[in-house]
């Protein structure tokens, strides 16, 4: 089935009232986990005493990349750097909107060299509107674009002052959301963008005020259970029709199908040992 085909809604009244889902081709940046390992701990998922399998990590990553290509998306690759085992999590490397690149400045010393490495890739590939940030931010880990609005996370990694910096740079409204669960240390582990006006999220990952903001902006959002959030079901990627997310997030798969999306299960169990999954491996290049 071509990626641009649309779904004819059938079944429930709810689905019949929604528009047909149409996929939009995307440009994506990824980084092969050639040097992937868990040698330090900067989030609750990471345990250096737990063995990792680099061959399996590469195989699972390649399957994700191949799925993107099969769905019609263009995938670029940045060269992995030795001694940067978390560079596979490309989403943290920058935020790109309208061809403008807001670089990443990492909180933990173990990852600080990733920011300049990703910025070099953008400069070498013709991006000229590039900002090296003043404040700590971890790219699309904490900046998620929903239509012409940016949802921005804080609480564990990204400095809230970076939200203002991003708003001034992109010229788009930035809405701050505060995370409270250390297992969901980045926004993209607790919230996923489904379309230009739809999201899914895990309410308990946020402060009461942030939950109220999300309810106001997205009253029809998909709400994740604790079980689906625990398997990183919200660390997902959507092209407007297909939603790639962990296979184990069965509740989210059912909810997405009920709304006319096509969920596609992905196994990234080896990368989950470092606290990452589908979205963490995927940086969207929104050139225009």
């Amino acid at each position: 089935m071509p990626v641009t085909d649309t779904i004819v809604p059938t079944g429930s009244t709810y689905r019949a009232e929604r528009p047909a889902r149409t996929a939009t081709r995307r440009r994506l940046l990824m980084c092969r986990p050639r040097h992937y390992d868990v040698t330090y701990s900067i989030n609750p998922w990471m345990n250096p005493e737990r063995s990792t399998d680099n061959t399996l990590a590469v195989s699972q990553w390649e399957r994700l990349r191949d799925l993107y290509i099969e769905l019609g998306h263009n995938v670029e690759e940045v060269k992995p750097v030795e001694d940067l085992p978390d560079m596979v999590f490309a989403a943290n490397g920058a935020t790109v909107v309208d061809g403008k690149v807001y670089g990443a400045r990492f909180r933990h010393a173990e990852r600080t060299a990733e920011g300049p490495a990703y910025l070099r890739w953008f400069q070498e590939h013709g991006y000229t509107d590039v900002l090296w940030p003043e404040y700590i931010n971890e790219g699309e880990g904490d900046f998620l674009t929903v239509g012409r609005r940016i949802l921005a996370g804080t609480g564990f990694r990204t400095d809230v002052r970076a939200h203002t910096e991003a708003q001034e740079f992109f010229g788009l409204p930035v809405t701050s959301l505060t995370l409270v669960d250390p297992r969901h240390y980045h926004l993209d582990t607790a919230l996923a963008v489904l379309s230009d006006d739809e999201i899914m999220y895990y309410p308990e990952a946020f402060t009461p005020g942030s939950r109220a903001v999300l309810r106001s902006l997205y009253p029809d959002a998909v709400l994740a259970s604790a079980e689906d959030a625990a398997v990183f079901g919200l660390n997902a990627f959507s092209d407007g029709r297909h939603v790639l997310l962990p296979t184990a997030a069965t509740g989210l798969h059912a909810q997405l199908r009920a709304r006319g999306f096509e969920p596609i299960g992905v196994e990234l169990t080896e990368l989950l040992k470092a606290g990452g999954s589908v979205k963490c491996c995927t940086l969207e290049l929104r050139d225009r």
Side-chain angles (χ1 to χ4, degrees), residues 172-229:
L172 294 175
V174 173
T175 299
S176 296
L177 302 168
T178 302
L179 297 159
V180 293
D181 186 336
R183 296 170 301 170
H184 301 287
Y185 56 93
H186 277 152
L187 183 62
D188 71 354
T189 70
L191 185 151
V193 179
L194 298 174
S195 71
D196 284 349
D197 58 4
E198 296 168 282
I199 66 168
M200 59 182 182
Y201 69 99
Y202 177 49
E204 285 74 13
F206 299 91
T207 61
S210 294
R211 291 200 297 269
V213 169
L214 289 170
R215 285 195 301 269
S216 176
L217 290 174
Y218 308 102
D220 195 31
V222 174
L223 302 182
S225 67
E227 293 76 16
D228 283 344

Side-chain angles (χ1 to χ4, degrees), residues 102 131-135 161-170:
Y102 181 44
L131 177 65
W132 177 248
E134 179 178 356
Y135 301 108
R161 291 172 294 181
H163 298 180
T164 301
E165 188 175 48
Q167 180 167 279
E168 291 302 310
F169 180 60
F170 290 122

Side-chain angles (χ1 to χ4, degrees), residues 17-261:
E17 292 174 351
R18 302 191 68 83
R21 302 294 181 183
T22 304
T24 303
R25 285 185 174 86
R26 312 294 174 91
R27 278 189 71 226
L28 310 172
L29 183 62
M30 301 182 71
C31 181
R32 179 181 295 273
R34 178 180 176 184
H35 307 295
Y36 172 75
D37 198 358
V38 178
T39 59
Y40 50 80
S41 180
I42 58 173
N43 68 55
W45 302 87
M46 303 178 83
N47 181 358
E49 296 181 1
R50 185 181 182 187
S51 64
T52 55
D53 185 336
N54 183 266
T55 300
L56 179 58
V58 171
S59 175
Q60 292 181 337
W61 178 91
E62 286 179 339
R63 179 54 184 150
L64 174 62
R65 179 205 58 193
D66 292 347
L67 272 172
Y68 284 139
I69 294 171
E70 290 169 14
L71 291 171
H73 304 301
N74 298 317
V75 178
E76 305 270 357
E77 292 188 35
V78 60
K79 184 178 179 180
V81 177
E82 193 172 2
D83 298 325
L84 294 179
D86 280 346
M87 196 170 168
V88 60
F89 301 127
N92 302 153
T95 305
V96 185
V97 181
D98 296 336
K100 304 173 72 172
V101 180
Y102 181 44
R105 182 187 289 269
F106 287 82
R107 179 165 296 279
H108 295 285
E110 293 89 344
R111 300 195 67 182
T112 52
E114 292 180 42
Y118 274 97
L119 214 58
R120 281 194 299 273
W121 185 92
F122 284 104
Q123 292 167 335
E124 291 168 359
H125 286 77
Y127 288 82
T128 57
D129 201 346
V130 175
L131 177 65
W132 177 248
E134 179 178 356
Y135 301 108
I136 290 171
N137 86 83
E138 300 201 351
E140 281 196 341
D142 275 324
F143 288 108
L144 296 177
T145 303
V146 191
R148 301 301 291 172
R149 176 189 298 275
I150 297 174
L151 300 180
T154 190
F156 295 101
R157 298 292 184 84
T158 294
D159 190 317
V160 70
R161 291 172 294 181
H163 298 180
T164 301
E165 188 175 48
Q167 180 167 279
E168 291 302 310
F169 180 60
F170 290 122
L172 294 175
V174 173
T175 299
S176 296
L177 302 168
T178 302
L179 297 159
V180 293
D181 186 336
R183 296 170 301 170
H184 301 287
Y185 56 93
H186 277 152
L187 183 62
D188 71 354
T189 70
L191 185 151
V193 179
L194 298 174
S195 71
D196 284 349
D197 58 4
E198 296 168 282
I199 66 168
M200 59 182 182
Y201 69 99
Y202 177 49
E204 285 74 13
F206 299 91
T207 61
S210 294
R211 291 200 297 269
V213 169
L214 289 170
R215 285 195 301 269
S216 176
L217 290 174
Y218 308 102
D220 195 31
V222 174
L223 302 182
S225 67
E227 293 76 16
D228 283 344
V231 295
F232 258 38
L234 292 162
N235 196 243
F237 173 86
S238 173
D239 62 16
R241 174 179 176 178
H242 311 96
V243 183
L244 281 64
L245 72 165
T247 303
T250 55
L252 286 176
H253 281 254
Q255 289 194 73
L256 290 166
R257 279 193 295 269
R259 296 185 182 224
F261 291 100

